Amino acid sequence: MTTTQLPTSLPPPSRWAVRAAHAVALVTLPSGVWRLLLAAGFTAGYTEAGYEAMGFTGWGAVYVVGLTVGGELLALLTLGLVRPWGEVLPQWVPLVGGRRPNPRAVTVTAGLGAAALTLILIRFAFWWTFPHPDMTPLGSTIAGILYLPLVAWGPLLAAVALDHHRRHRAAGL
């Protein structure tokens, strides 16, 4: 299989974009760790009745772990916008390994993802304005603090996607 080489005229990513891409992976960690605690059987701020009502056992635990792992994997994909493995897919990727993805499709997908994440996660900025009767007051505060970094995921992804677009446009790709 032929491996597509990186265009030599492609400018390197901006330093701020590299930092923002790494920040995306970090902003998902606090809420993920909290969800893993829930799946492991810790009430993590819920009242006993609230924990049971949320169904964090059995298939509920599988869902919570899947949500956490899936979210972190999606966050790590942001690094592909600033790393060589995002310009030419690794050989081990089935069917498309060694190929260069269409930069416009990558930018559009990242932009749509950023918009969706912003719309979905903005509610965590207003966590404290809604009552949480199934949680203890301290648990509600801690959960709000742990989920607050997620609000930055969409805007950070948008910024990295714009840098990706700028670099490819400058290279004429």
Side-chain angles (χ1 to χ4, degrees):
M1 176 179 274
T2 306
T3 301
T4 304
Q5 297 297 317
L6 284 174
T8 55
S9 60
L10 187 64
S14 303
R15 181 178 285 163
W16 65 263
V18 173
R19 288 182 179 156
H22 284 88
V24 167
L26 295 176
V27 299
T28 59
L29 283 177
S31 59
V33 169
W34 183 74
R35 283 192 304 272
L36 291 176
L37 287 172
L38 291 170
F42 295 100
T43 58
Y46 277 93
T47 62
E48 289 294 329
Y51 183 83
E52 288 178 27
M54 292 299 288
F56 290 121
T57 57
W59 285 109
V62 172
Y63 169 76
V64 170
V65 170
L67 179 67
T68 301
V69 171
E72 192 61 36
L73 289 174
L74 285 173
L76 289 171
L77 277 178
T78 306
L79 292 172
L81 297 171
V82 297
R83 293 284 179 238
W85 59 263
E87 298 297 334
V88 177
L89 298 173
Q91 290 289 339
W92 56 264
V93 177
L95 303 175
V96 294
R99 295 186 183 161
R100 185 175 165 270
N102 181 329
R104 181 171 291 151
V106 170
T107 301
V108 168
T109 302
L112 291 172
L117 287 168
T118 301
L119 289 173
I120 292 167
L121 299 175
I122 192 67
R123 64 189 176 112
F124 291 117
F126 305 101
W127 175 266
W128 293 277
T129 61
F130 300 105
H132 301 282
D134 52 347
M135 299 186 85
T136 66
L138 178 61
S140 179
T141 301
I142 291 172
I145 291 168
L146 295 176
Y147 270 81
L148 192 57
L150 285 179
V151 175
W153 187 357
L156 286 169
L157 176 56
V160 176
L162 284 173
D163 181 72
H164 181 267
H165 172 71
R166 178 198 56 81
R167 291 186 305 116
H168 284 83
R169 196 172 82 194
L173 300 175

